[in-house]
Amino acid sequence: MLGAIYGGKIAADTAANDDSAAENAPQPVTDNEPYTVEDDAKCIREISRILLSGLGIVRDAETLRQALQSLHQLRNSREYPVRMRNRFILAEAMLLAADARKESRGAHYRSDFPQTDPSFRKTTVA
């Protein structure tokens, strides 16, 4: 628990001081934003399906690329409320982080990089 709290503080401090990612940063949700449960549920299921296809236990660059492409197509298919746009940002960050880790570690096996790489034994910042 202490690690999660400390990591959260470091992440928040870093994000607050990083202007380079401002245009892709999640946006605050306002109380007057339209909220449709039906559309959100369908979209969440589709994002989940895309993430499961790309972020399975066995993954490779091609499945991650296909998942990113599917995510981008879904995101660009129409305008979404802020809550859903924030979900897309998180999903994309997860896929990009998995693609950047060119190794197998723990329960995540990269069939294109089957060995553990000591250079990835560190905290990943997205």
Side-chain angles (χ1 to χ4, degrees), residues 54-120:
L55 297 176
I57 293 172
V58 178
R59 54 183 76 157
D60 60 34
E62 180 60 22
T63 58
L64 290 163
R65 186 196 62 75
Q66 289 172 355
L68 270 168
Q69 182 178 7
S70 296
L71 186 70
H72 291 160
Q73 287 174 343
L74 179 62
R75 183 186 62 207
N76 295 330
S77 66
R78 67 179 182 93
E79 186 64 32
Y80 291 97
V82 173
R83 285 179 182 89
M84 198 56 62
R85 290 195 309 260
N86 288 344
R87 287 180 190 273
F88 280 109
I89 291 170
L90 177 59
E92 183 175 26
M94 292 167 63
L95 289 165
L96 290 172
D99 189 42
R101 190 174 280 273
K102 309 288 190 209
E103 65 154 3
S104 292
R105 182 172 296 273
H108 303 288
Y109 181 76
R110 285 284 303 252
S111 60
D112 50 350
F113 294 96
Q115 301 300 317
T116 299
D117 182 346
S119 69
F120 285 105

Side-chain angles (χ1 to χ4, degrees), residues 38-49:
E38 298 81 20
D39 286 346
D40 285 357
K42 289 177 190 174
C43 192
I44 290 168
R45 279 195 303 273
E46 186 60 18
I47 291 172
S48 295
R49 186 197 63 74

Side-chain angles (χ1 to χ4, degrees), residues 4-34:
I5 293 169
Y6 177 75
K9 182 188 179 324
I10 296 299
D13 291 345
T14 301
N17 295 318
D18 183 6
D19 294 333
S20 66
E23 69 182 49
N24 292 324
Q27 300 299 307
V29 176
T30 61
D31 289 337
N32 61 358
E33 181 188 28

